[in-house]
Structure formats: structure tokens, C-alpha cells
Amino acid sequence: MTGGNAGIGYFVAEQLSASGATVVLGCRDPAKAEAATDSIRVRVPGARVRAVRLDLADLSSLDAAVASLRVPRLDAVVHNAGVALDHPPRRETADGHELMFGTNHLGHFALTARLMPLLSAAPAARVVTVGSFAAKSERLDLDDLQSRHDYRPKRTYGRSKLAQMHFGLELDRRLRALGSTTRSVVVHPGGALDSLTPSRPPMHVRATAARLYTWPAALLLQGKHAGAWPAVRAVLDPEVRGGQLWGPRRFALRGAPHPEPVWSHLTDTDVASRLWDATRDLCGVDPVGSLTPGSGLPRAGEGDTSGG
């Protein structure tokens, strides 16, 4: 679970822990990770939860993060972590990529490549990518994926989430083509506000004044605890199928999760394929590159970190 120490990611982790799952939080800040795991243990007696250090903005650190998992397999990975900037200037990751695109999209792409042996070792693993409603009105500029020529923070954020969602759907197409039992699902939380979110100190404390001020928004929007439901459903429900898009039922903004039609621009497989190729070149890895047709499993001796 990436980015499980705050916001929607925290509630995904808490709810999965309550279901009996063993949850590993991948977080950049050890102090925040400890606060999140402590909070989950208080609310979920007997919770099996721990944290590993994970920095998606530093691709060279991912091998160590995956090695620190120390597990023979993964039944699911939830790609939730994200960076959102509201104002210039444009910033870059340790690898020289635009910060939001590099963290939200490239980091998860590269992490998936390193986790694929562990996912393939499970009988029916899930890759769950958490997108955003901010991506619905955006379109990718394949000639300027890094926003070097035209940087607008809110648009760049929306495009980074759109790239993530394209990746999640394209990943499932490629896994199916190889006969893999791993499935990739894309979800979004709808409209999730801090002011409608239950307190989880010290990560989040809901002020009474803020709650009263924003109560009309509850007619259309919801808290981040509810925004977590589509991702939790995508992990746990055996009826959820690869290649689906799940979001809230009511106007795609609030309510119980359900499968919704894939947004029209996300059905463009040519854009998704070209994005995949560009991303592979930027990251230097391919999430399905070690899988053999028909088996869906890594070739012997290629990236097998399962130990068994």
C-alpha cells in the first residue's frame, strides 16, 4: 500500500486491516508511518500492519524497498501515493523528472515492475491504481509528458493521474495477453473532503467549525474514509474484474462503490501503448517484461525475489 500514512490511503489501510488482511504501508516519512500504524492498531485489535520506507520520487531506492518486504508473495498492491502541487515553480525528482509525473506515474510503474515476481507468485493478485476525478477533463500531451514546455500545476497533476489510470488499464490488457492470473483495476474516490472525514489524530483532526461550514457539501461529496471504499472493494471482492473502473455510485462523487463505464479518453489504446513505451524508456524497466506468454510467471532466474 503506497501512501498509507494519510488521507484516503490511510483509510484504505485501516479498512483492509479490519478485514483481516496483512497490510504493509510504503511511506517516505518514518515518523508519519509510525503514527499511521499506531492508529490502525488502536482501532483494529490484532491488526497485522507494518511499514517500509518507500520513496517513489527516487527510482534507485525501489529495489531496497521491495527487498525490505520480506514476503514470498503479494496478493495485492494499492497504488495510492501521490504528490499534488498548487503553485509554481516546477520541481523535479531525484531522477530529474517533473515531480508529480515522476512520483505519481513513473514511480508506480517502476515499483510494479519490481513487485511483479511477488504478485505472480499469488494465485490471483490485484494491482489497484487509485486515479482521480481531476483526470477526467485532462488529455495527455505525449510530446510534453514532463511539462517542460508548458507547466501549470493543477493541469500537470491531473495529467499525472490520467497517466496512472492509462497505465492501470494498459497493464491489465498486457497481463491478459500473456495469460497472467494477476489483474489490474483502476478506481477513483469521487469527491472526498477533509472536512467530512472522521478524525484520526495525529494524521487528521476534523474541526467542528469546518464540519459545520461544509455540511451542505455532504449532499454531493463525502469524506476520505468513504473515498477509500472503491480501492478496498477492488482488493477484496472476487467479482471485481481486471480492466474495470470503480468509483462512487452517486454521480460518481459519493456513495457505495460500483463499476462505471471507463471514461471515453481512457479507452484510447494507442495513447496508452505510446505512454507505456515512453514510460518504459524513462524508467528502464517493464512491469510485464519478465513474464512469459501462457504462464504469466517470471522466467526462471529473472527477478525472482520470492525465495520459494
Side-chain angles (χ1 to χ4, degrees):
M1 170 88 216
T2 71
N5 60 274
I8 290 168
Y10 168 82
F11 285 99
V12 173
E14 183 184 287
Q15 291 166 26
L16 287 174
S17 293
S19 78
T22 298
V23 178
V24 181
L25 307 184
C27 307
R28 185 176 62 244
D29 187 321
K32 291 181 179 178
E34 183 178 4
T37 55
D38 287 348
S39 177
I40 291 171
R41 292 187 183 114
V42 167
R43 289 169 174 80
V44 183
R48 293 173 294 177
V49 58
R50 64 184 177 93
V52 298
R53 191 176 186 282
L54 173 69
D55 185 357
L56 293 169
D58 182 1
L59 300 183
S60 67
S61 72
L62 298 184
D63 284 328
V66 172
S68 69
L69 291 174
R70 301 188 305 277
V71 295
R73 75 181 198 191
L74 281 180
D75 295 303
V77 58
V78 181
H79 292 325
N80 166 80
V83 172
L85 302 180
D86 294 326
H87 306 288
R90 180 181 178 278
R91 294 168 57 188
E92 292 188 345
T93 69
D95 304 292
H97 303 304
E98 189 282 315
L99 183 61
M100 290 181 279
F101 180 77
T103 303
N104 303 350
H105 174 58
L106 298 182
H108 283 118
F109 184 97
L111 178 63
T112 303
R114 290 164 171 84
L115 291 177
M116 192 55 69
L118 298 179
L119 292 164
S120 296
R126 302 277 176 89
V127 178
V128 179
T129 298
V130 181
S132 169
F133 226 57
K136 194 164 189 178
S137 60
E138 293 296 342
R139 301 296 183 273
L140 294 179
D141 182 350
L142 293 169
D143 295 321
D144 191 24
L145 290 171
Q146 306 265 18
S147 300
R148 297 185 188 280
H149 304 297
D150 188 4
Y151 177 71
R152 302 179 214 173
K154 291 185 183 299
R155 187 183 71 173
T156 296
Y157 170 76
R159 288 182 173 182
S160 74
K161 298 302 290 185
L162 177 58
Q164 266 192 281
M165 296 172 82
H166 267 301
F167 161 63
L169 296 172
E170 180 67 11
L171 175 62
D172 193 71
R173 286 189 285 266
R174 296 186 181 224
L175 288 169
R176 286 202 310 270
L178 289 168
S180 174
T181 58
T182 301
R183 292 291 179 261
S184 178
V185 185
V186 176
V187 303
H188 73 86
L193 302 180
D194 280 333
S195 58
L196 299 174
T197 302
S199 292
R200 291 293 188 271
M203 288 85 65
H204 167 68
V205 177
R206 181 170 61 167
T208 301
R211 183 169 67 249
L212 293 174
Y213 179 76
T214 57
W215 72 263
L219 298 174
L220 288 176
L221 306 176
Q222 60 190 0
K224 293 186 175 180
H225 63 301
W229 295 343
V232 173
R233 180 77 176 268
V235 171
L236 298 178
D237 187 348
E239 299 302 316
V240 173
R241 299 192 304 275
Q244 288 184 322
L245 172 64
W246 281 71
R249 183 176 298 277
R250 298 179 186 175
F251 310 108
L253 292 173
R254 71 184 303 267
H258 79 132
E260 61 183 75
V262 175
W263 302 341
S264 59
H265 57 305
L266 282 172
T267 64
D268 191 329
T269 56
D270 179 64
V271 168
S273 181
R274 292 169 62 194
L275 173 66
W276 183 285
D277 292 344
T279 304
R280 179 194 60 215
D281 293 344
L282 288 169
C283 294
V285 292
D286 188 322
V288 299
S290 63
L291 301 182
T292 57
S295 70
L297 297 172
R299 299 185 186 98
E302 289 192 12
D304 185 0
T305 60
S306 65

